[in-house]
Every structure is written in C-alpha cells, then in structure tokens.
Amino acid sequence: MTAPTMTGSQLGLARNAAEAALAVLPTSYTLAVADPVVPGEGTAIEGQAITARFTGATSGEVVVVVGQDLANALRESPLGELDLTAAVRPALEAAARVFGPVVLDPGQLMEPEVALSALAVKEGAVAVPLRDESEVRAVVALALNQWPGDDPGAVDVAQRAAPVQGADGRRGLDMLYDVEMEVSAELGRTRMSVRELLSLTPGAIVELDRAAGSPADLLVNGRLIARGEVVVVDENFGIRITEIVSPGTE
C-alpha cells in the first residue's frame, strides 16, 4: 500500500479523525485504526459509503465506508428500515470536528469504490482503514482543502496511542444500540382540504380523531412503538409509557 505524501503531523491528524469516528461508529467488530493510505489502495470492502462536505475552521470532504452487515441490520430493524446516512452521521461529524468547529452538509450515500475514487483525485486525500485481526471492516477517508501545517506539537503518526476499540463482537440488533433516532409523540390526526387549511387563523380549533384523555402515540422513525399519558416534567411536556405496542398489533 502507498502512504500519502503528507507530513507526520498531518498523518497523525488523519489517524485522530479516524479514532474519533470509530468511537461513535456502529459496528459488529472490535476494530483498530491502521496506517493511513492513499484512498482506494487496500480499502475496498463490501458495503456502503456515506460522503459529506464540511466548512468552518477548515473545509473539505469526509467519507465513511461501513460493511454490508451494518447496512443489512439497519434495513431489517424491528423498528422498520432505518436510514444508514443518519446512523453514520455522528462518525462523519466526529471525524470532521477534529480539525475545529465545522458545519457538515446532509451527506450522500454512494458505492464505496465511487466515493473513494472521487476522493483520491484530490490533493491531500488520505484514507485510514479500520481493521479487526484479519481484514479491513470500515474506512474513514478525508480530503482537506488546506491541511494544518507541520506543527511540532501535533500528534505524529509514529506516536500511536492504544487502538480505539469498536463494539465488542456485537451482531444483529445489538450493533444498532448506539444509533440515534428521532422519537416523536402524536396526539391525533385529521384530514383537511386545501381550502380548510388556507382558512386557518390564530385561535382556530382543529379537531383530532381522538377523544379527550386518550393516550398519545410514541413513534420512532414513523413507526408506532408505544402509547402513554402526556405529563409535564420541569415545564416540558413528556410521555409516561402505559403500553408497549407489539409489531403487527398497532
């Protein structure tokens, strides 16, 4: 494998970014950060890539490639099909923020070969494989418009800390435990014509299809998982769970 033409401190920053991403990356393997390489060299794995651009203290692009096992686990979740981009976004953000405060775009799902090839043509591109004992299971790749200079105080690639470990042997649903999802509460629903919607004014009352005192629905990813009572907690609304809804009974 060919090492990127970068200074030691820049390679060290790339490793730091990969370690930050690995700390929040859902994975079914115990992984460690390997030596940085040129994107596409020794980093081909079966799976999916999520790529996002970032701007702020510095600007560039970050790619996280995950194995097909994670994509399958998200697709077959008992909560319904979950968004791979949303699941991997914390890892994208963690890698980019190693370089200072940045803002990440929503991200895009791509084939790994396409994402890494597009990154490889950019100057200063680097990929950091995440390996278990036998092979590469994930990849964090970066291309910055301008890398930080060779700061003597920066962490050098030769000064390696103990490997950051991913999830310890998790499989199936277990590997989704750290994935963040949006949870919403629903009091009720109704149907209105466009004419009725346009006639709404402050003070208008919209009648819902639920009787007063009925439990509110708790939804994850648009899927009903529980019902409960609306309560007030420290001046904020909350839901006290009274019923867990079994799949297929909602």
Side-chain angles (χ1 to χ4, degrees):
M1 298 183 202
T2 306
T5 306
M6 301 169 68
T7 65
S9 63
Q10 290 168 348
L11 291 172
L13 285 170
R15 284 180 59 91
N16 290 348
E19 289 171 349
L22 177 55
V24 292
L25 182 67
T27 176
S28 57
Y29 302 94
T30 299
L31 302 179
V33 173
D35 290 333
V37 297
V38 173
E41 293 196 11
T43 55
I45 64 173
E46 181 181 355
Q48 296 290 327
I50 298 87
T51 177
R53 298 182 183 277
F54 57 89
T55 57
T58 188
S59 58
E61 186 173 355
V62 57
V63 175
V64 172
V65 183
V66 295
Q68 193 62 43
D69 56 342
L70 175 58
N72 292 341
L74 289 165
R75 187 180 303 114
E76 300 163 4
S77 163
L79 298 176
E81 185 173 354
L82 304 178
D83 183 18
L84 178 61
T85 302
V88 178
R89 185 172 180 83
L92 293 165
E93 293 176 340
R97 286 175 180 166
V98 165
F99 304 95
V102 296
V103 176
L104 221 66
D105 72 16
Q108 181 180 3
L109 187 66
M110 300 180 69
E111 291 298 320
E113 296 83 0
V114 175
L116 293 174
S117 296
L119 202 70
V121 300
K122 300 181 179 181
E123 186 176 355
V126 58
V128 183
L130 306 178
R131 303 179 57 94
D132 63 5
E133 294 181 355
S134 59
E135 58 186 286
V136 175
R137 300 292 185 179
V139 179
V140 177
L142 295 150
L144 270 62
N145 293 346
Q146 183 175 359
W147 283 80
D150 194 5
D151 180 2
V155 177
D156 189 89
V157 69
Q159 299 172 339
R160 301 176 185 173
V164 175
Q165 301 296 325
D168 186 9
R170 295 188 294 183
R171 294 292 188 272
L173 181 62
D174 290 357
M175 68 191 300
L176 305 182
Y177 283 170
D178 295 328
V179 175
E180 295 183 359
M181 292 181 289
E182 183 173 340
V183 179
S184 59
E186 185 177 279
L187 295 176
R189 300 185 182 190
T190 191
R191 296 178 66 88
M192 303 178 72
S193 66
V194 174
R195 184 187 303 277
E196 290 171 324
L197 285 172
L198 295 176
S199 66
L200 291 177
T201 59
I205 296 176
V206 177
E207 185 176 351
L208 304 177
D209 61 350
R210 192 163 301 185
S214 297
D217 292 340
L218 192 69
L219 301 101
V220 176
N221 198 39
R223 185 184 183 93
L224 177 65
I225 65 163
R227 295 187 176 94
E229 304 171 347
V230 178
V231 297
V232 177
V233 182
D234 296 331
E235 300 183 356
N236 294 322
F237 284 116
I239 298 289
R240 178 185 290 116
I241 303 299
T242 58
E243 177 190 0
I244 300 297
V245 178
S246 301
T249 63
E250 61 265 37

